[in-house]
């Protein structure tokens, strides 16, 4: 049984405790009919067997393509090791019934399709880690259920007539879109949505409204997206109105990638993304230069290393506070890396000796493996392993540099948090580059983009959550020096609104989170206190989720491993237990 199946089974069992059994009958899918649909690139390795529920109930307009959609999904399942159960019986939405599925597909559902208890069951399924895939009219569903609107990402407003259009593929790393070029020509019924999902979801593809008539979203028109949602995963695509969609190999592969991601068979960075500038894309290599031997080939704005040992570096500008994102893929057991913080030089060894390399080579030693700061700090290996896609599939790095702090995110999950202390080096200004390691080390890169952070981005504000999803809270909302910091049910009050400041302080009610007396003993009180710039008020997030006070070398800890309201937080030796894991805004 997979970890997700265990989580869902525990959720289903707890949901049924003390209650009468709910109906579990569903329409069982027939065995997939033989067929040899055209294929595009398949997953790099065979997936373990899993199960998908396809739900196509309609109480409004019914799409004539639903039958073709069910057939296509069954054929995809037969070819890719997942079983499909197709139903229009809403009674399938009960805890026991849903717990057996890695993903639930809403296939052009319309109107109100679930009653209140069924809605509660589906919310519980997603909260327990379940996956949702919405196809086309899944956005024309459950308008009065606000939770579902958040899950789907956006709801239907209108559409013009069926016509061809150009789809701009914004993310070519996600498994649903990695097989596509930079643009995708399709004929479909193109939905306009009531809201733009870009600020709450990660947009995979959008419509070029200049290529068809009737688009009404003002030029920014997402049409496929993904998001993490309340413990689960949600993928939506606006395609799929026409019967022909379901015989189109590219659209079928698009659906397969969405299902695989929702079912946690592949990883991706599905955090919302805005404000990035492309450094290497359709316009080519302007501003880039090769140092040392070897080179990179370019095919469809995809760079692939050739020979080496050399460095392809961006000489046009130095950066000092930024978020660098790029997509990468290994062909096999290959070696490469991303360099940051090095001075301009035509000698690739200058980057090695003066900068920092974020490694790509999952089989190397801990301080030289994928996600490590090469030779300086290993990645959080359990987190890295959980986030890493295998050779043949794309991965996304975010390398975030702020001052002398370097954080590494792999497919949206933080796997390294490193602070530079070498007086001969500095992250506060430097160039970025891609390594071509040597003959036979074939690593590809796509969609290299950067967002400069700077002072204009301001501090981050919001809740800090810990064990039991409780919030870090200033007792009674008092601002007096010495007020205890505690856990409390999240309530969005000012006592739970924390500001994460660049000087490593955490502030609420105009004061700082502080270690009483600057102590270092286990159990020392953590309190609110007037900000004074001392080491007792410094808190540095670690890759393993802890908040560490560098002066004492100890961590913020919820006493007694409790999540009860009023649980005091204090200083304690770091051990990475659940009561020392914190999520910052």
């Amino acid at each position: 049984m997979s970890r997700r199946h265990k989580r869902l089974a525990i959720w289903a069992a707890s949901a049924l405790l003390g209650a009468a059994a709910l109906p579990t009958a569903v329409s069982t899918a027939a065995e997939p009919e033989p067929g040899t649909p055209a294929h595009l690139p398949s997953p790099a390795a065979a997936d373990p067997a899993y199960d998908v529920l396809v739900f196509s109930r309609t109480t409004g307009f019914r799409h004539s393509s639903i039958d073709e959609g069910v057939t296509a999904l069954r054929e995809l399942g037969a070819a890719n090791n997942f079983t499909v159960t197709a139903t229009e019986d809403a009674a399938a939405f009960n805890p026991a019934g849903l717990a057996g599925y890695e993903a639930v597909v809403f296939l052009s559902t319309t109107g109100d399709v679930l009653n209140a208890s069924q809605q509660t069951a589906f919310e519980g399924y997603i909260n327990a880690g379940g996956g949702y895939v919405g196809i086309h009219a899944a956005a024309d569903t459950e308008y009065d259920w606000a939770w579902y609107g958040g899950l789907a990402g956006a709801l239907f407003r209108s559409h013009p007539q069926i016509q061809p259009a150009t789809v701009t593929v914004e993310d070519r790393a996600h498994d649903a879109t990695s097989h596509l070029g930079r643009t995708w020509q399709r004929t479909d019924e193109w939905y306009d949505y009531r809201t733009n999902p870009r600020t709450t979801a990660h947009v995979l593809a959008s419509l070029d409204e200049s290529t068809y008539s009737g688009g009404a979203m003002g030029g920014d028109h997402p049409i496929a997206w993904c998001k993490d949602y309340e413990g689960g995963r949600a993928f939506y695509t606006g395609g799929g109105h026409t019967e022909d969609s379901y015989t189109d190999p590219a659209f079928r592969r698009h659906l397969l990638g969405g299902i695989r991601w929702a079912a946690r068979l592949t990883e991706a960075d599905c955090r919302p993304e805005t404000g990035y500038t492309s450094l290497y894309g359709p316009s080519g290599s302007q501003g880039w230069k090769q140092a040392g031997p070897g080179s990179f080939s370019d095919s469809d704005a995809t760079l692939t290393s050739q020979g080496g040992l050399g460095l392809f570096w961006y000489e046009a500008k130095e950066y000092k506070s930024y978020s660098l994102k790029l997509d990468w893929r290994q062909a096999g057991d290959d070696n490469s890396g991303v360099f940051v913080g090095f001075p301009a030089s035509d000698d690739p060894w200058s980057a090695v000796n003066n900068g920092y390399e974020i490694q790509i080579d999952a089989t190397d030693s801990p301080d030289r493996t994928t996600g490590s700061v090469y030779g300086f700090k290993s990645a959080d290996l359990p987190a890295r392993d959980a986030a890493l896609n295998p050779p043949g599939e794309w991965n996304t790095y975010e390398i975030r540099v702020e001052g002398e702090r370097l954080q590494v995110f792999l497919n949206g999950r933080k796997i390294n948090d490193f602070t530079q202390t070498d007086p001969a080096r500095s992250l506060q200004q430097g160039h970025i580059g891609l390594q071509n390691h040597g003959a036979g080390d074939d690593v590809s890169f796509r969609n290299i983009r950067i967002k400069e952070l700077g002072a204009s981005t301001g501090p981050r504000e919001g809740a800090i959550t810990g064990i039991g999803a409780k919030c870090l809270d200033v007792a009674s909302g008092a601002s007096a020096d010495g007020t205890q910091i505690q856990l409390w049910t999240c309530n969005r009050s000012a006592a739970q609104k924390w500001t994460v400041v660049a000087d490593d302080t955490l502030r609420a009610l105009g004061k700082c989170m502080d270690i009483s007396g600057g102590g270092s003993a286990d159990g020392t009180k953590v309190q609110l206190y007037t900000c004074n710039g001392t080491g007792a008020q410094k808190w540095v997030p670690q890759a393993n989720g802890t908040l560490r006070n560098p002066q004492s070398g100890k961590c913020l800890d919820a006493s007694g491993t409790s999540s009860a309201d009023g649980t005091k937080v204090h200083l304690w030796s770091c051990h990475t237990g659940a009561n020392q894991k914190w999520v910052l805004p």
Side-chain angles (χ1 to χ4, degrees):
M1 180 182 288
S2 69
R3 283 183 295 174
R4 257 206 70 257
H5 260 139
K6 288 178 181 176
R7 287 178 63 195
L8 290 169
I10 291 169
W11 156 72
S14 62
L16 290 171
L17 273 176
L22 296 172
T24 59
V26 297
S27 302
T28 304
E31 289 295 318
E33 297 189 13
T36 54
H39 292 286
L40 286 168
S42 295
D47 291 331
Y50 62 105
D51 300 289
V52 173
L53 178 67
V54 176
F55 183 56
S56 55
R57 186 184 182 202
T58 56
T59 61
F61 180 83
R62 185 170 183 84
H63 284 74
S64 60
S65 60
I66 287 176
D67 288 345
E68 285 80 2
V70 171
T71 296
L73 292 169
R74 285 176 172 167
E75 291 178 352
L76 281 173
N80 293 280
N81 211 26
F82 64 88
T83 61
V84 168
T85 298
T87 188
E88 299 201 352
D89 183 1
F93 285 75
N94 66 80
L98 291 172
Y101 298 104
E102 274 71 22
V104 177
V105 179
F106 276 50
L107 174 59
S108 283
T109 50
T110 55
D112 296 330
V113 293
L114 300 178
N115 65 27
S117 65
Q118 293 158 356
Q119 290 176 358
T120 298
F122 191 48
E123 290 180 11
Y125 166 80
I126 294 295
N127 295 159
Y132 163 86
V133 173
I135 301 176
H136 193 56
D140 188 20
T141 300
E142 294 286 359
Y143 289 97
D144 296 325
W145 181 14
W147 181 91
Y148 179 83
L151 177 74
L155 295 176
F156 167 76
R157 182 177 68 187
S158 61
H159 65 77
Q161 65 185 11
I162 297 171
Q163 57 191 300
T166 297
V167 177
T168 300
V169 182
E170 297 189 24
D171 183 320
R172 298 175 65 206
H174 194 287
D175 197 53
T177 45
S178 63
H179 63 290
L180 300 170
R182 287 169 286 155
T183 59
W184 187 17
Q185 307 301 320
R186 292 203 70 243
T187 295
D188 216 315
E189 180 183 75
W190 301 115
Y191 276 7
D192 297 307
Y193 301 95
R194 298 184 178 194
T195 56
N196 190 316
R198 190 176 294 277
T199 58
T200 60
H202 179 71
V203 176
L204 303 174
S206 56
L207 288 171
D208 181 348
E209 288 190 341
S210 70
T211 63
Y212 73 105
S213 299
M217 293 193 68
D220 182 16
H221 194 144
I223 198 65
W225 53 82
C226 61
K227 66 192 303 187
D228 295 299
Y229 189 73
E230 295 195 0
R233 292 183 173 186
F235 167 87
Y236 172 82
T237 179
H241 173 88
T242 66
E243 288 89 343
D244 288 347
S245 293
Y246 298 99
T247 57
D248 174 5
F251 187 72
R252 282 185 171 221
R253 184 65 184 84
H254 179 57
L255 295 181
L256 174 62
I259 291 169
R260 293 186 73 236
W261 178 78
R264 301 179 188 267
L265 275 300
T266 188
E267 299 298 319
D269 189 345
C270 282
R271 298 173 296 169
E273 182 177 314
T274 58
Y276 285 80
T277 299
S278 175
L279 290 186
Y280 194 98
S283 59
S285 60
Q286 289 87 342
W288 290 83
K289 186 177 184 181
Q290 179 70 29
S295 64
F296 281 84
S297 66
D298 182 342
S299 175
D300 195 22
T302 300
L303 291 164
T304 301
S305 60
Q306 301 178 139
L309 187 102
L311 187 75
F312 193 52
W313 62 289
Y314 191 64
E315 68 168 340
K317 185 174 182 178
E318 291 186 84
Y319 294 97
K320 60 182 179 180
S321 183
Y322 55 91
S323 167
L324 171 68
K325 288 191 175 185
L326 49 80
D327 307 328
W328 57 269
R329 180 182 66 186
Q330 295 172 280
D333 182 12
D334 301 297
N335 188 315
S336 185
V338 182
F339 280 86
V340 297
F342 59 90
S345 175
D346 287 329
D347 178 4
W349 288 97
S350 176
V352 175
N353 296 325
N354 298 287
Y356 290 96
E357 178 186 5
I358 294 80
Q359 174 74 322
I360 297 172
D361 184 354
T363 63
D364 213 330
S365 59
D367 68 333
R368 300 180 176 190
T369 189
T370 296
S372 69
V373 181
Y374 188 92
F376 289 89
K377 185 175 181 181
S378 172
D380 177 346
L381 296 182
R384 191 282 309 273
D385 292 345
L388 181 64
N389 288 323
E393 296 188 24
W394 287 91
N395 292 277
T396 298
Y397 265 163
E398 179 190 5
I399 300 166
R400 190 178 185 94
V401 173
E402 296 171 281
E404 298 292 2
R405 182 182 180 192
L406 187 161
Q407 299 175 79
V408 181
F409 297 79
L410 175 63
N411 294 323
R413 182 178 301 193
K414 185 158 74 169
I415 62 168
N416 210 331
D417 196 331
F418 168 72
T419 299
Q420 197 286 129
T421 59
D422 184 346
R425 302 174 189 242
S426 178
L427 285 164
Q428 295 199 40
Q429 190 153 345
H431 291 274
I432 63 173
L434 310 175
Q435 183 185 64
N436 51 303
H437 188 269
D441 283 315
D442 300 322
V443 178
S444 298
F445 296 90
R446 277 179 175 172
N447 197 14
I448 305 163
R449 65 265 194 208
I450 199 164
K451 178 164 67 174
E452 294 186 80
L453 302 177
S456 62
T457 60
R460 308 195 314 272
E461 294 183 345
I464 298 176
T465 56
I467 186 171
K470 294 291 183 72
C471 278
L472 209 56
D473 177 280
V474 181
S476 301
S479 61
D481 283 354
T483 301
Q484 176 72 52
I485 308 297
Q486 61 182 9
L487 288 181
W488 201 268
T489 300
C490 298
N491 55 32
R492 299 185 180 180
S493 68
Q496 296 181 356
K497 184 178 181 181
W498 293 89
T499 301
V500 182
V501 183
D503 64 0
D504 291 330
T505 58
L506 300 173
R507 306 187 182 200
L509 303 174
K511 295 191 175 182
C512 284
M513 190 165 74
D514 175 279
I515 300 167
S516 179
S520 61
D522 283 353
T524 301
K525 178 183 178 182
V526 172
Q527 61 188 7
L528 196 70
Y529 206 86
T530 300
C531 297
N532 54 31
T534 67
Q537 297 182 350
K538 304 292 185 182
W539 301 95
V540 178
Q542 303 298 300
N544 58 19
T546 61
L547 273 173
R548 183 175 177 271
N549 171 248
Q551 177 174 279
S552 65
K554 295 190 175 180
C555 285
L556 185 68
D557 179 284
S559 60
T561 321
S562 173
S563 62
D565 283 353
T567 297
K568 296 177 181 179
V569 297
H570 56 199
L571 196 68
W572 202 267
S573 298
C574 299
H575 55 65
T576 72
N579 61 321
Q580 291 190 354
K581 297 292 182 70
W582 306 95
V583 179
L584 274 62

